[in-house]
Amino acid sequence: QVHLVEFGGGSVQAGGSLRLICAISGYSAVPYSLGWFRQAPGKEREVVAGIDSDGTTIYADSVKGRVTISKDNAKNALYLEINSLKPEDTAMYLCAADTVPVSVLLSVGFQYAYSGQGTQVTVSS
């Protein structure tokens, strides 16, 4: 059973940066794609970024250029660095994992197998 726990959220001013961490346990030898999603109150879940088992990355247009997704297989950790934060980045950010390609993991409506509880990011203007 894969278990995901997010860390690193907080309250920051616009223009600041945050590094979110997703600690992953229960990995098997099966390759997983990993992703970050976010959801603001009253809004639909939104893709932020994803990374495949081979390191291929995909970013949402809304964050491209401001966000970097990376992973450390040795530490079983997934990261999301967000720069130039904007008030519209305010949301609960959660990480997810599944054994499908990252393009599928990030596709609209896909029900990923594993996700964490999320970490709140609040950006003030």
Side-chain angles (χ1 to χ4, degrees):
Q1 181 78 7
V2 177
H3 187 57
L4 308 172
V5 180
E6 300 91 342
F7 302 94
S11 296
V12 297
Q13 289 196 325
S17 298
L18 279 176
R19 189 190 195 206
L20 307 184
I21 302 168
C22 176
I24 308 166
S25 60
Y27 256 158
S28 67
V30 176
Y32 285 86
S33 60
L34 304 168
W36 285 99
F37 298 81
R38 66 186 183 186
Q39 188 163 18
K43 293 189 176 181
E44 296 289 318
R45 185 190 75 185
E46 181 185 13
V47 168
V48 180
I51 186 166
D52 215 326
S53 56
D54 65 357
T56 301
T57 56
I58 297 176
Y59 294 94
D61 288 341
S62 59
V63 299
K64 200 172 290 184
R66 299 191 296 120
V67 164
T68 302
I69 187 171
S70 61
K71 62 178 179 174
D72 187 329
N73 291 330
K75 295 182 178 179
N76 286 335
L78 175 71
Y79 306 100
L80 186 73
E81 183 128 10
I82 318 172
N83 300 309
S84 303
L85 279 158
K86 305 175 181 180
E88 51 263 43
D89 293 321
T90 295
M92 182 71 76
Y93 285 70
L94 58 91
C95 58
D98 209 307
T99 54
V100 299
V102 67
S103 58
V104 176
L105 179 72
L106 303 183
S107 60
V108 174
F110 181 74
Q111 298 296 317
Y112 33 75
Y114 306 104
S115 65
Q117 293 299 309
T119 185
Q120 177 68 36
V121 172
T122 302
V123 185
S124 57
S125 58

